[in-house]
Amino acid sequence: KNEVEQSPQNLTAQEGEFITINCSYSVGISALHWLQQHPGGGIVSLFMLSSGKKKHGRLIATINIQEKHSSLHITASHPRDSAVYICAVRSWGSQGNLIFGKGTKLSVKP
Amino acid sequence: NAGVTQTPKFRVLKTGQSMTLLCAQDMNHEYMYWYRQDPGMGLRLIHYSVGEGTTAKGEVPDGYNVSRLKKQNFLLGLESAAPSQTSVYFCASSPGTVDGYTFGSGTRLTVV
């Protein structure tokens, strides 16, 4: 079983829709990261969370440490949000390296 | 611009050839990492470094070597490339174990 599971694997939405991507993990963590990767592109860090909630523009990330679960929300989605969204965790005692989920491929149609 | 720079961006190798991927960061970060990304899998850690002159093995180190002679550079070497090493390679850096990451733009390597 993977230590970091994301759902759904693929997601298609219409422009303007509210989007939720979920991440569950099975290890104790010191932080959880949400990353964005555009087709053929590099990886950009969106959020680093250890508790609660963070917001940046139309993106909101939440984490529930007790339930070992995090969500990434996109409000008023736009075609430029089309990308792969990756959840990654930093486990306790690690040398800072991350354990990655397989990613959620989001496509937003105009 | 400050960040992580990877060279080259693309490379095609023949089986058995060797090459070195360079990762350079100008943010004075202590920690540097090499990951590989394969279809249908999450990124996997190859090797990492917690400071100049140090290196350590990650999850999938076989067939790779690394060096960190200068703090700003982290080199990934393939001594004898194999088709199984066809992948996209990402370098990342971080100030410490509780800080955020900065990723490079990736190197797409094909071994034929």
Side-chain angles (χ1 to χ4, degrees):
Chain A
K1 185 180 185 299
N2 293 329
E3 293 168 301
V4 180
E5 297 275 3
Q6 289 185 234
S7 62
Q9 290 185 343
N10 294 282
L11 182 57
T12 300
Q14 288 299 125
E15 183 173 357
E17 286 185 355
F18 180 84
I19 289 164
T20 296
I21 299 170
N22 296 299
C23 175
S24 297
Y25 53 92
S26 59
V27 296
I29 69 168
S30 57
L32 181 143
H33 296 248
W34 281 104
L35 310 166
Q36 180 191 58
Q37 184 176 25
H38 281 102
I43 298 171
V44 175
S45 180
L46 298 175
F47 295 104
M48 183 176 71
L49 293 163
S50 55
S51 65
K53 176 180 176 179
K54 287 190 176 180
K55 183 176 188 290
H56 185 260
R58 296 179 294 104
L59 301 178
I60 302 166
T62 63
I63 188 169
N64 185 316
I65 296 293
Q66 286 73 31
E67 295 186 2
K68 295 187 175 178
H69 181 269
S70 175
S71 293
L72 177 68
H73 306 286
I74 305 175
T75 62
S77 60
H78 190 275
R80 65 175 176 267
D81 296 326
S82 297
V84 175
Y85 292 85
I86 302 170
C87 173
V89 302
R90 178 181 284 146
S91 62
W92 283 114
S94 73
Q95 292 291 334
N97 53 285
L98 300 177
I99 305 169
F100 292 80
K102 295 181 180 180
T104 295
K105 185 176 182 180
L106 171 65
S107 178
V108 182
K109 306 294 187 186
Chain B
N1 293 332
V4 177
T5 303
Q6 289 184 234
T7 53
K9 295 191 184 309
F10 302 93
R11 185 73 186 268
V12 178
L13 280 181
K14 293 183 179 179
T15 298
Q17 287 185 321
S18 63
M19 78 164 294
T20 300
L21 283 67
L22 170 63
C23 176
Q25 54 95 2
D26 58 4
M27 298 169 287
N28 202 36
H29 285 176
E30 289 292 336
Y31 291 71
M32 297 186 75
Y33 310 88
W34 276 108
Y35 292 94
R36 60 178 288 174
Q37 185 180 41
D38 300 297
M41 304 183 75
L43 278 79
R44 293 179 293 168
L45 181 66
I46 305 170
H47 285 280
Y48 64 98
S49 169
V50 301
E52 181 178 311
T54 74
T55 63
K57 293 180 180 180
E59 179 186 357
V60 288
D62 293 343
Y64 305 96
N65 56 75
V66 287
S67 64
R68 183 114 180 257
L69 299 179
K70 294 183 179 180
K71 187 176 184 178
Q72 63 268 34
N73 296 334
F74 194 28
L75 279 63
L76 178 70
L78 286 72
E79 294 178 342
S80 180
S84 61
Q85 295 177 303
T86 294
S87 188
V88 181
Y89 292 86
F90 284 96
C91 177
S93 71
S94 178
T97 60
V98 296
D99 301 291
Y101 265 49
T102 302
F103 286 86
S105 58
T107 296
R108 185 173 295 274
L109 175 66
T110 301
V111 183
V112 298

